[in-house]
Amino acid sequence: MTLDGAMQLTTLMMGMAFIQQSLEHLRPAARPAERLLFVPRLMLSALLVGAALGLPIPPLWLLAMLLVNHMVILHFFAGPYNGGYDRMSLLILLCLTAAHAMPQHRELAFGYLGAQLTLSYFISGWVKVVNPAWRNGQALRDVFRFSAYPAGENIRGWAQHPRLLLAMGWAVMVFELAFPLALATRPTLILALVIAATFHGANACLFGLNRFFWIWLCAYPSILWLQERVVFPLLP
Amino acid sequence: MIIRLIQPVFKSLALVLPALIPSWRFFDAVSASPRLDYVLLAKQTDDSADWRPFRPRPERLTFPAMLRRMLWNAERNESLFLVSCSERLVQNPTAHSQSEILRRIARHLAPQADATPFLQVRLRFVLPDEDGALNSHVAYLSPVLAVKDLL
């Protein structure tokens, strides 16, 4: 995958993810001030999708305006609206803006996104595996039993299956910790990304974290490019 | 004067840095979980204790509904934001967190405000005790407020 192709694909996917979440903020139940912030975000994102599809619009200005809009939104909510989703959104936006603003350093800017994507899985696995409650399955049981995350009461019933949750918890930890190893070959990386996307899809279904699914997928082209650019030349 | 000028810059940096250098500590520990309840009142002096959970989860979430929520999940995402606001209200109380909770609940209940124009909100935290039974304690109780003042 070329750098231009990977950046174009990430730009297209991010624009579409921003359109999806902007529309959620434009429902009539939202406050007028909130809707006012997401109308420009929707329009800029639609233009960005157009630019990624080949319309003659310079993406740098759209990205810069989206960045300003994102900062205003962060101030409006006094922080992220949906935690890690907002952080990944802003990270992708910052990396793409930097890559377009500093063409001589664009490999560094876009590669940083790929590196952070790898870390997002590895560190998530590390903080779990060092916690005894995750190792003995109690933490995942608590997530289903009383945390605010299960999206339906029937999903809480999973807490009654401790062995299943213990196996699921270890499967998640092993996968997250082993993710950097998947960079060794193209087939293993593609398989790892398919598993990771399935994991995000399961989180979206069970916990209602739909935005995480879409935004993490947006960063996948960066790691596919980074593997070719950095990892393959290092391998014998 | 200088501090007033650079304060927004520091605030913006504080908001950007966690994205630029993320911690990625998802679900590292499961702590007490917030629940928001409300009571709608006909008069400001009513002392009804008819607390109801705000936006309870569906008893049964079907797979087709889960798939629909992949594309449209506005209420659920707002509820997750209110979880963040609830945690902020306890860990680092600000007028913003309190206002977001009250205003969003009031907007949700506005259609019922003709008959019951006053609202009170409480925030509980649920945690298992030593025997594993789930207990909750009230961490915040709002004053009784007119719904129309919160819209």
Side-chain angles (χ1 to χ4, degrees), chain B residues 5-74:
Chain B
L5 280 174
I6 60 172
Q7 211 167 18
V9 178
F10 278 116
K11 200 175 170 191
S12 296
L13 272 176
L15 292 171
V16 168
L17 279 178
L20 198 58
I21 310 163
S23 74
W24 305 129
R25 297 175 70 91
F26 296 123
F27 288 106
D28 55 338
V30 182
S31 53
S33 175
R35 302 282 192 278
L36 286 164
D37 305 318
Y38 69 88
V39 58
L40 280 169
L41 305 165
K43 293 177 186 168
Q44 197 157 18
T45 50
D46 277 1
D47 56 357
S48 164
D50 185 18
W51 290 102
R52 293 168 188 222
F54 173 65
R55 205 178 271 158
R57 291 165 186 76
E59 279 301 317
R60 182 161 186 79
L61 188 63
T62 61
F63 190 62
M66 288 176 186
L67 292 182
R68 278 197 301 277
R69 286 174 172 215
M70 293 292 285
L71 290 174
W72 183 264
N73 203 16

Side-chain angles (χ1 to χ4, degrees), chain A residues 80 83-92 94-95 112-124 127 212 216 219, chain B residues 13-26:
Chain A
Y85 162 82
D86 288 68
R87 298 214 164 115
M88 183 54 106
S89 299
L90 184 54
L91 178 66
I92 297 175
L94 282 165
C95 289
Y112 184 72
L113 177 59
Q116 283 295 343
L117 180 71
T118 310
L119 286 175
S120 76
Y121 292 118
F122 181 76
I123 294 175
S124 294
V127 297
F212 282 75
W216 249 260
Chain B
L13 272 176
L15 292 171
V16 168
L17 279 178
L20 198 58
I21 310 163
S23 74
W24 305 129
R25 297 175 70 91
F26 296 123

Side-chain angles (χ1 to χ4, degrees), chain A residues 1-12 52 106 110 221 225:
Chain A
M1 182 174 270
T2 64
L3 177 59
D4 284 325
M7 282 175 56
Q8 191 177 1
L9 192 54
T10 292
T11 304
L12 175 67
R106 63 187 196 140
F110 198 62
W225 168 77

Side-chain angles (χ1 to χ4, degrees), chain A residues 42-96:
Chain A
L42 178 68
M43 291 163 61
L44 290 167
S45 302
L47 287 170
L48 194 64
V49 167
L53 290 173
L55 287 180
I57 311 167
L60 176 58
W61 290 106
L62 296 173
L63 289 164
M65 284 189 280
L66 272 170
L67 201 52
V68 172
N69 172 263
H70 198 106
M71 290 309 302
V72 177
I73 289 170
L74 273 177
H75 278 279
F76 182 80
F77 293 123
Y81 185 73
N82 280 154
Y85 162 82
D86 288 68
R87 298 214 164 115
M88 183 54 106
S89 299
L90 184 54
L91 178 66
I92 297 175
L93 195 49
L94 282 165
C95 289
L96 282 176

